[in-house]
Amino acid sequence: MKKILQDLSYAELEEKVLSLGEKKFRAKQLYEGLMQGKAITAITSLSKAFKERLCEEYEDAPIRIKEKYVSLDGTEKYLFEYADGNLVEGVLMKYKYGYTQCVSTQIGCRMGCKFCASTLGGLVRNLTSGEILSQILLVNALHKEDVPKQGAQTRAVTNVVLMGSGEPLDNYDEVLKFLKNVTADGGVCISARNISLSTCGIVPKMYRLADEGIPLNLTVSLHATDDESRARTMPIAKAYKISEILKACEYYFKKTGRRYYFEYTLIEGENCDEEHARALIDLLKGKPCHVNLIRLNEVKERTLKSTDDKAAYRFLGMLEKGGLSATLRRQIGVDIGGACGQLRASYIEKNGV
Ligand code: SAH
């Protein structure tokens, strides 16, 4: 597989362009074209010879859309294909204040969470920073027309969540580079405050991330209130205790001044009775955090069941009464199916890739 130019920062791209004997301003033209989601050969401001030279070394386009589904509520689900034929999925959610894109950071995942489809086939490979960025570049390009013509806004995607397939902190260096490039001035320029990174709780990497001083929203997938129950659905719980996760979150708050978030997927008979609400309140009360409750998206290969709406709202009510800041995540795009990894898993099953 060839390298991709989207992996390079502006400074690195400039260096590359100069090393090929081209003028400095060509780097700007190239960067602008790439940030508009264009393939190298589609950038009209560059000479054919220069583009051919670049294509000897780099993929013309790192990613393409294999399948796209649009929900009745406007949510879009994508199956992307990389140059080596690997597939990942992404979701675009349309809100009044802008578009939020859910991106994948790995092909597959090795964390083994029992409720998650991304992990069914294990980890295939890490995505590079540019491969992650390309998911956004492509979706932005498809929605060029949606961007208001006036004002400084030049892109459709205003918010990003690293909640697609993969564990972002298991691909730390590439994810960090992605964060730097996606927030860089002159590029897609998404504010770090509009980016949420979700982790299953790899504690040492949470500290490392806090030390980077990037003011993004840190979200931890908790899904249980004690280590033993957590380990039943999340193997990572055997490596790091909830108490260690909470300490790392406090550190994150101290370093960045940002409150942190917990995701709590409601699993019938497992984590959403009154005793769990009480335990969650004891664990988190008074901390600068917010709890996002998620209804389990049932995965056919797994036996875990979702709660009904009534039980979900009752659980939310108990948390609020106990003084926690909490919300029950609205279910969007349900008609186009799919928890993390489901689209890829069903495509692979159907097509035997
Ligand atoms: N690896 C990261 C990002 C994964 S996905 C993490 O663990 O946080 C984002 C969220 O979706 C996580 O909270 C994850 O636990 C949750 N999730 C995964 N599969 C799910 C399912 N089938 N139903 C509901 N939530 C799910």
Side-chain angles (χ1 to χ4, degrees):
M1 201 164 122
K2 286 183 192 169
K3 294 184 285 185
I4 62 170
L5 281 172
Q6 290 78 357
D7 276 334
L8 306 183
S9 67
Y10 185 71
E12 289 167 338
L13 196 72
E14 204 170 65
E15 214 172 285
K16 182 74 209 173
V17 167
L18 291 174
S19 78
L20 293 174
E22 292 283 333
K23 297 242 164 50
K24 210 170 163 179
F25 75 95
R26 294 287 174 211
K28 187 158 184 281
Q29 291 174 326
L30 178 57
Y31 188 68
E32 276 171 9
L34 296 174
M35 292 303 119
Q36 287 164 11
K38 291 183 177 154
I40 297 172
T41 46
I43 304 175
T44 47
S45 51
L46 303 174
S47 73
K48 192 157 173 263
F50 180 38
K51 288 189 278 194
E52 273 169 9
R53 172 64 190 86
L54 286 171
C55 287
E56 281 167 20
E57 207 174 328
Y58 297 97
E59 284 297 341
D60 187 23
I63 192 174
R64 69 181 190 96
I65 293 169
K66 186 96 180 165
E67 288 186 0
K68 178 181 170 183
Y69 303 89
V70 182
S71 160
L72 292 171
D73 64 21
T75 303
E76 298 175 1
K77 185 132 191 176
Y78 292 91
L79 190 65
F80 299 114
E81 183 178 34
Y82 287 103
D84 63 356
N86 268 307
L87 304 169
V88 295
E89 52 209 273
V91 182
L92 186 72
M93 295 158 280
K94 297 180 174 178
Y95 298 105
K96 279 194 212 88
Y97 56 80
Y99 292 175
T100 297
Q101 189 172 347
C102 175
V103 298
S104 293
T105 54
Q106 295 179 312
I107 294 165
C109 182
R110 61 186 182 128
M111 294 299 129
C113 300
K114 294 279 186 294
F115 41 80
C116 182
S118 301
T119 202
L120 286 169
L123 176 68
V124 178
R125 71 171 174 86
N126 280 329
L127 292 176
T128 68
S129 66
E131 285 179 320
I132 304 170
L133 183 64
S134 296
Q135 297 170 36
I136 297 172
L137 299 178
L138 197 58
V139 170
N140 255 341
L142 285 176
H143 293 89
K144 274 205 299 274
E145 304 306 321
D146 303 4
V147 180
K149 294 282 181 281
Q150 75 278 30
Q153 198 189 351
T154 54
R155 59 202 148 51
V157 178
T158 53
N159 295 59
V160 173
V161 296
L162 281 72
M163 294 186 185
S165 69
E167 165 50 47
L169 298 187
D170 189 40
N171 182 16
Y172 191 91
D173 294 340
E174 292 299 323
V175 165
L176 188 70
K177 192 162 183 212
F178 159 74
L179 291 172
K180 289 190 171 151
N181 286 344
V182 79
T183 52
D185 282 345
V188 261
C189 197
I190 291 174
S191 158
R193 288 166 197 278
N194 291 351
I195 301 177
S196 300
L197 183 149
S198 179
T199 176
C200 61
I202 304 181
V203 169
K205 301 281 176 61
M206 289 169 67
Y207 280 99
R208 221 174 123 188
L209 186 66
D211 286 334
E212 311 281 359
I214 306 171
L216 46 79
N217 305 306
L218 179 66
T219 296
V220 181
S221 299
L222 198 58
H223 308 327
T225 53
D226 65 89
D227 294 319
E228 208 180 301
S229 331
R230 193 164 185 262
R232 274 205 297 275
T233 52
M234 301 180 73
I236 191 75
K238 295 185 191 113
Y240 305 109
K241 293 196 179 69
I242 293 175
S243 58
E244 294 173 298
I245 290 177
L246 295 181
K247 268 196 209 127
C249 288
E250 293 282 311
Y251 184 77
Y252 191 82
F253 178 69
K254 227 170 64 200
K255 278 284 186 175
T256 63
R258 311 280 295 164
R259 72 172 178 165
Y260 42 89
Y261 298 78
F262 292 104
E263 307 201 82
Y264 195 94
T265 296
L266 300 164
I267 307 171
E268 182 67 48
E270 186 64 44
N271 65 0
C272 37
D273 295 331
E274 202 179 328
E275 55 174 301
H276 303 111
R278 251 183 275 120
L280 200 55
I281 293 163
D282 284 347
L283 214 53
L284 304 181
K285 196 164 178 190
K287 297 197 188 307
C289 68
H290 179 86
V291 180
N292 269 320
L293 299 177
I294 313 175
R295 296 176 186 85
L296 179 78
N297 248 315
E298 291 170 13
V299 176
K300 80 172 164 28
E301 291 83 354
R302 310 290 205 195
T303 51
L304 300 173
K305 289 270 164 281
S306 171
T307 43
D308 58 29
D309 273 5
K310 210 171 137 201
Y313 279 107
R314 198 180 42 198
F315 195 78
L316 173 67
M318 287 189 279
L319 297 189
E320 285 174 333
K321 214 166 144 208
L324 296 191
S325 157
T327 36
L328 175 63
R329 188 173 291 167
R330 195 159 60 94
Q331 267 186 315
I332 54 176
V334 271
D335 51 325
I336 50 174
C340 319
Q342 271 184 332
L343 192 58
R344 171 173 170 263
S346 68
Y347 185 91
I348 291 175
E349 186 184 283
K350 242 180 7 218
N351 298 276
V353 201

